[in-house]
Amino acid sequence: MCGIFGYIGPKNAPEVILEGLKRLEYRGYDSWGIAVLSEQIKVNKNVGAIGDLNRSNLPSSKIGIGHTRWATHGGITETNAHPHLSSDNSFALAQNGIVENYQSLKDDLLKKGYKFKSQTDTEVIVRLIEEKLSKARAGALKSKKALPASRQDLKEAVRSAFLDLEGRNTIILLTKDNQLIALRNGSPLVVGVNEEEIFFSSDTLSFAPFVKKIVVVDNGQMAYFEGG
Ligand code: GLU
């Protein structure tokens, strides 16, 4: 089943996310990873049981995502663990679920010259978003329109890529310009809200004691927040 966790707020994100992932351990996993934003997105991936933060060696941060993986596509390795980074390091993405049509999407992306570092179905989503972004930018240049604001551009690329996926997929992204974007289809996704902080998770149990309000994201919905 595995899990997704995300945090924006005043506390140290790597620590909050690590604790959140520990509370999702009961869902089962074989590897795990965390991505946080300091000056750049930093990713730490691990095989096996969730360890302590010293081992994960992440900078302090106010925004980030985490994932516990149950490998379905590709072996249990650090490379295959999530989150997966975009080629230009502008976003990191984790998925709960399976991209049933990943092979045809991957074949198409390979033909277009996209490169893959892992064997996962999840990295296909990352490259698909990159392709959507590059098409949007090329279209804007051709029509001599002003380039769309990058945040809006990325959200639209994520939405469009998500709609191309078959299967049960819930995804979460951290972007280098301080956004968390999550979309649900199948695997659960809940958002916890406090005055100054937002939690994303596969399960309310992982943050319920700390939040005032809980929002269940429905299938087909996107949740989106910007860090301060
Ligand atoms: N299909 C994903 C992979 O093999 C696993 C996603 C999950 O842990 O739910 O990378």
Side-chain angles (χ1 to χ4, degrees):
M1 278 209 299
C2 55
I4 274 177
F5 200 87
Y7 177 78
I8 310 178
K11 300 191 190 104
N12 188 25
E15 287 172 43
V16 176
I17 294 166
L18 191 84
E19 290 308 312
L21 291 181
K22 282 185 185 163
R23 281 183 235 107
L24 294 173
E25 277 190 299
Y26 74 92
R27 298 169 64 83
Y29 67 103
D30 47 49
S31 47
W32 59 283
I34 296 178
V36 297
L37 180 65
S38 52
E39 272 159 36
Q40 299 164 0
I41 296 178
K42 300 275 184 203
V43 181
N44 184 275
K45 307 191 199 196
N46 306 270
V47 167
I50 295 175
D52 54 31
L53 198 60
N54 295 341
R55 245 194 71 213
S56 76
N57 199 20
L58 285 166
S60 59
S61 165
K62 305 294 173 212
I63 181 167
I65 60 176
H67 182 260
T68 48
R69 176 176 185 236
W70 187 279
T72 62
H73 293 64
I76 303 166
T77 63
E78 280 184 18
T79 307
N80 287 337
H82 309 194
H84 293 278
L85 264 176
S86 67
S87 309
D88 63 357
N89 289 3
S90 64
F91 66 89
L93 179 147
Q95 181 207 189
N96 269 182
I98 293 178
V99 182
E100 303 286 356
N101 57 336
Y102 93 99
Q103 193 61 61
S104 64
L105 292 172
K106 187 169 181 173
D107 290 347
D108 191 45
L109 290 161
L110 283 168
K111 270 188 222 139
K112 290 175 179 156
Y114 287 89
K115 303 262 186 292
F116 290 81
K117 293 182 181 144
S118 77
Q119 288 88 46
T120 62
D121 53 338
T122 305
E123 197 185 1
V124 170
I125 311 173
V126 175
R127 304 290 165 246
L128 192 57
I129 293 169
E130 289 176 15
E131 200 226 354
K132 304 271 183 194
L133 271 172
S134 90
K135 267 194 195 155
R137 285 176 185 149
L141 283 176
K142 210 168 152 197
S143 62
K144 298 203 171 63
K145 275 194 217 142
L147 281 177
S150 67
R151 286 186 164 184
Q152 194 52 40
D153 207 9
L154 177 65
K155 260 192 289 180
E156 181 49 33
V158 172
R159 195 187 70 83
S160 169
F162 185 73
L163 292 175
D164 286 355
L165 307 180
E166 288 168 15
R168 290 160 56 88
N169 333 96
T170 292
I171 61 175
I172 188 163
L173 285 89
L174 165 69
T175 77
K176 72 165 192 217
D177 54 3
N178 242 333
Q179 308 173 79
L180 286 191
I181 306 172
L183 296 96
R184 178 188 179 193
N185 179 30
S187 311
L189 179 66
V190 285
V191 178
V193 185
N194 266 344
E195 272 95 17
E196 290 187 331
E197 56 188 357
I198 305 282
F199 297 79
F200 289 73
S201 182
S202 306
D203 189 337
T204 50
L205 285 176
S206 62
F207 57 58
F210 317 116
V211 300
K212 292 195 169 145
K213 187 174 169 192
I214 291 174
V215 181
V216 177
V217 179
D218 284 333
N219 282 326
Q221 283 189 327
M222 173 192 275
Y224 161 80
F225 292 92
E226 280 172 29

